């Protein structure tokens, strides 16, 4: 009897546990409907930044460097004074040239007076033709000498102006190469430049898509590149953040590289604060068009295991069904589903792994997908949830 009582008691416990399990409340989950809308077609590539202009600052005349007005590593504007050479010898040459012009002008005036005085005499035969030719030649010589003196004056003015070395472009200047007091100029033994300026705004980025993508680029940017297909640059930072810049394609090369079967593409972008330097590695995302009626789900609705990516589709009995999907591009918090899911189907977001293991019923709370992506919906995100990161399958 005791054994039977124990058995009976055990049965009562089992029935009580079973009854408790079946009456457990469904797990609340957030669900959204897959949406259908147009989506940009993106491609991403590694790129290298370039300056539109790199100018070597040289002394155009020979002389001793008298002063440097540069702030090494600072920005400069066109016409800004950078260096001064000792000007005295060029000032003296200018004074001499001005005097030569005055002498030549005086000689010309005298030659013209002589010419005008003897012209009537030549017409009456009072002077010989040879004498008259001599007056004409003297006038022509005087005119030539004045022209030569004026050219020397212009050269002297230019040489004096070259003792003030000014910035030819806007940009960032580097470190001074030559110290004050050194002899500089094109004919000096060192022949060194004084500095270098690189233009930082705007800038270019160069990258190499595959030759089999040229048609897509040509359709997006026009064969001549004049339609300016948009690009976005991302530059990683040591802090973990990233800098982004918007620009547009400005050149597609006309040959494919034989060794890699790629072609050179180039884009231009604004860099007003000079935060990007030439030669920097960046990621270039190119928009090649628009994909019509793409099926999208919030990226937080994607899960992955070692072999597949999947979503949890809500069934009519309020249970979740694991459904394998193929994914494409990610755009604005949404990921494109290329196969495995139709627009309008309901999927769960940020579901606990416990719910996945138990396979029980859930209590769905339907929210708007755009509100969810915009952060307007309070959403539980249990630890251990794995979201799928999308690739570049947007075409």
């Amino acid at each position: 009897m005791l054994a039977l009582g124990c058995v009976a008691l055990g049965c009562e416990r089992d029935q009580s546990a079973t009854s408790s399990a079946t009456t457990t409340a469904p797990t609340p989950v957030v669900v959204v409907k897959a949406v259908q809308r147009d989506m940009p077609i993106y491609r991403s590539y590694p790129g290298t930044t370039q300056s539109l202009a790199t100018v070597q600052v040289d002394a155009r005349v020979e002389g001793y460097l008298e002063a440097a007005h540069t702030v090494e590593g600072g920005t400069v504007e066109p016409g800004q004074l950078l260096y001064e050479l000792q000007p005295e010898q060029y000032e003296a040459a200018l004074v001499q040239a001005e005097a030569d012009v005055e002498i030549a002008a005086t000689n010309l005036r005298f030659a013209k007076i002589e010419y005008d005085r003897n012209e009537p005499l030549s017409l009456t035969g009072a002077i010989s033709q040879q004498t008259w030719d001599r007056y004409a030649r003297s006038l022509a010589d005087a005119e030539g000498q004045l022209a030569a003196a004026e050219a020397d004056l212009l050269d002297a003015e230019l040489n004096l102006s070259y003792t003030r070395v000014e910035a030819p472009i806007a940009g960032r200047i580097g470190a001074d190469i030559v110290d004050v007091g050194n002899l500089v100029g094109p004919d000096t033994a060192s022949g060194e430049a004084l500095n270098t300026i690189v233009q930082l705004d705007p800038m270019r980025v160069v990258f190499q898509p595959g030759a089999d993508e040229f048609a897509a680029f040509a359709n997006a940017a026009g064969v001549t590149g004049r339609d300016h297909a948009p690009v976005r640059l991302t530059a990683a930072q040591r802090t973990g953040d990233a800098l982004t810049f918007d620009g547009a394609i400005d050149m597609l090369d006309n040959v494919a590289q034989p060794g890699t079967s790629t072609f050179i593409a180039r884009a231009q972008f604004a860099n007003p604060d000079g935060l990007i330097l030439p030669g920097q590695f960046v990621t270039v995302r190119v928009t090649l068009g628009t994909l019509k009626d793409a099926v999208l789900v919030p990226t937080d609705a994607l899960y992955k295991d070692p072999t597949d990516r999947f979503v949890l589709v809500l069934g009519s009995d309020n249970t979740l069904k694991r459904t394998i999907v193929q994914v494409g591009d990610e755009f604005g918090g949404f990921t494109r589903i290329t196969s495995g899911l139709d627009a309008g189907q309901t999927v769960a977001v940020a579901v606990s792994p416990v719910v996945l293991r138990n396979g029980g019923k859930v209590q769905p709370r339907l929210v708007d997908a755009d509100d969810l992506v915009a952060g307007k919906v309070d959403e539980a995100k249990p630890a251990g949830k794995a979201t799928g990161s999308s690739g570049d399958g947007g075409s």
Side-chain angles (χ1 to χ4, degrees):
M1 291 292 293
L2 181 59
L4 289 174
C6 290
V7 171
L9 183 59
C11 290
E12 287 178 2
R13 285 201 200 94
D14 291 344
Q15 291 174 357
S16 175
T18 303
S19 175
S20 175
T22 56
T23 58
T24 300
T27 303
V29 296
V30 173
V31 296
V32 296
K33 290 186 179 295
V35 298
Q36 189 172 38
R37 60 184 59 160
D38 296 345
M39 179 182 181
I41 300 173
Y42 292 141
R43 291 289 182 273
S44 294
Y45 309 91
T48 305
T49 57
Q50 290 182 347
S51 174
L52 266 68
T54 300
V55 177
Q56 183 173 287
V57 180
D58 292 301
R60 300 177 68 174
V61 293
E62 183 178 313
Y64 286 94
L65 189 60
E66 187 172 69
H69 303 284
T70 56
V71 177
E72 295 176 302
T75 58
V76 297
E77 297 297 328
Q80 180 177 332
L81 179 62
L82 303 178
Y83 302 97
E84 288 184 277
L85 279 62
Q86 288 182 344
E88 289 82 3
Q89 69 181 93
Y90 298 103
E91 290 172 341
L94 177 60
V95 172
Q96 180 63 58
E98 290 172 340
D100 291 342
V101 168
E102 287 297 326
I103 293 172
T106 300
N107 291 337
L108 176 60
R109 286 193 297 271
F110 179 76
K112 186 68 168 63
I113 292 171
E114 289 292 299
Y115 179 91
D116 292 340
R117 178 185 298 139
N118 287 279
E119 185 177 19
L121 300 179
S122 69
L123 296 176
T124 60
I127 59 175
S128 66
Q129 184 65 39
Q130 183 178 10
T131 301
W132 170 242
D133 290 343
R134 200 163 46 244
Y135 288 123
R137 184 180 63 192
S138 296
L139 178 61
D141 287 346
E143 290 173 342
Q145 289 170 4
L146 178 59
E150 289 174 339
D152 289 341
L153 174 60
L154 178 59
D155 188 55
E157 291 172 341
L158 285 174
N159 286 338
L160 179 59
S161 70
Y162 292 155
T163 62
R164 294 171 55 87
V165 182
E166 300 176 346
I169 62 170
R172 178 167 292 164
I173 196 166
D176 291 331
I177 299 173
V178 180
D179 295 326
V180 170
N182 281 282
L183 183 65
V184 297
D187 297 326
T188 58
S190 64
E192 288 184 299
L194 302 176
N195 212 315
T196 301
I197 301 173
V198 294
Q199 182 179 334
L200 295 183
D201 183 36
M203 286 187 66
R204 286 180 177 139
V205 60
V206 175
F207 55 102
Q208 296 191 47
D212 55 357
E213 299 178 275
F214 183 80
F217 272 78
N219 289 332
V223 175
T224 62
R226 293 176 181 169
D227 289 340
H228 307 297
V231 303
R232 171 162 288 187
L233 280 73
T234 303
Q237 302 295 292
R238 181 63 65 90
T239 59
D241 300 326
L243 300 175
T244 58
F245 302 84
D246 292 320
I249 296 287
D250 71 349
M251 192 278 292
L252 302 177
D253 206 0
N254 57 0
V255 295
Q257 306 301 308
T260 59
S261 191
T262 59
F263 69 93
I264 295 174
R266 193 181 68 195
Q268 190 173 132
F269 65 97
N271 183 32
D273 298 322
L275 300 180
I276 296 295
L277 296 175
Q280 192 167 337
F281 296 141
V282 296
T283 298
V284 185
R285 190 189 71 184
V286 186
T287 303
L288 292 179
T290 302
L291 186 67
K292 298 293 185 181
D293 299 326
V295 177
L296 307 174
V297 297
T299 302
D300 280 346
L302 279 170
Y303 302 81
K304 66 179 178 179
D305 60 22
T307 58
D308 299 306
R309 292 178 183 174
F310 60 93
V311 293
L312 300 174
V313 178
L314 181 68
S316 58
D317 58 352
N318 281 354
T319 60
L320 299 177
K321 178 184 178 183
R322 182 178 184 274
T323 302
I324 296 174
V325 294
Q326 301 298 317
V327 302
D329 288 349
E330 183 178 338
F331 170 66
F334 286 91
T335 297
R336 181 192 172 209
I337 305 298
T338 60
S339 66
L341 189 71
D342 296 325
Q345 288 187 273
T346 304
V347 296
V349 180
V351 176
S352 166
V354 176
V355 176
L356 297 182
R357 287 196 297 268
N358 292 343
K361 287 184 179 292
V362 296
Q363 180 182 349
R365 178 166 69 100
L366 182 64
V367 301
D368 181 77
D370 291 300
D371 288 344
L372 179 72
V373 169
K376 299 179 181 178
V377 176
D378 292 332
E379 171 202 355
K381 294 185 178 180
K385 176 183 179 297
T387 57
S389 60
S390 62
D392 278 335
S395 57

